[in-house]
Amino acid sequence: MNSELPDLDPPSPADEMALRERGQFTSLLLGGGVLIPLGLVVMSMMSGRHLWLTLLNLGGMYGGLWVMFRGWRDERGRLVTLGGWCMAASLALCLVVLSLLS
């Protein structure tokens, strides 16, 4: 028998707001993590320049997304944070190199 009882106290309104904001931020990150690299690949295909860089960014962003999903599945917050940082670093590095090459 499990000795831990579930928390029966209703969450406070401040806790509910914090959870809602966290969910919205997570949705924004996931949407950006899927759509931004695809948009960059489409733009580089249309211009015919720097396709290798945007494909590398696509791999980095989707790799970070995979790490985030693994962290959520295994309930490990550090993996989720690491995946988010990988995504941000990949995007920032790609944008800096693109601006230097253009």
Side-chain angles (χ1 to χ4, degrees):
M1 184 171 177
N2 191 358
S3 63
E4 290 185 25
L5 294 174
D7 187 17
L8 298 177
D9 294 330
S12 69
D15 290 339
E16 288 180 3
M17 181 62 85
L19 284 174
R20 185 176 303 128
E21 286 177 1
R22 181 179 177 192
Q24 291 171 349
F25 182 68
T26 302
S27 298
L28 181 69
L29 277 178
L30 288 175
V34 171
L35 296 177
I36 289 173
L38 289 176
L40 285 173
V41 168
V42 167
M43 286 177 13
S44 73
M45 287 175 64
M46 289 175 60
S47 70
R49 297 174 47 203
H50 311 300
L51 182 62
W52 62 274
L53 183 60
T54 55
L55 289 176
L56 191 63
N57 178 45
L58 183 83
M61 293 280 284
Y62 284 176
L65 214 57
W66 180 79
V67 170
M68 284 180 80
F69 284 136
R70 288 290 300 213
W72 278 319
R73 192 179 81 181
D74 298 340
E75 296 180 3
R76 296 178 64 191
R78 293 186 119 181
L79 276 181
V80 175
T81 305
L82 178 67
W85 280 110
C86 287
M87 290 171 57
S90 176
L91 181 62
L93 186 65
C94 175
L95 292 177
V96 166
V97 172
L98 278 174
S99 68
L100 290 175
L101 292 175
S102 295

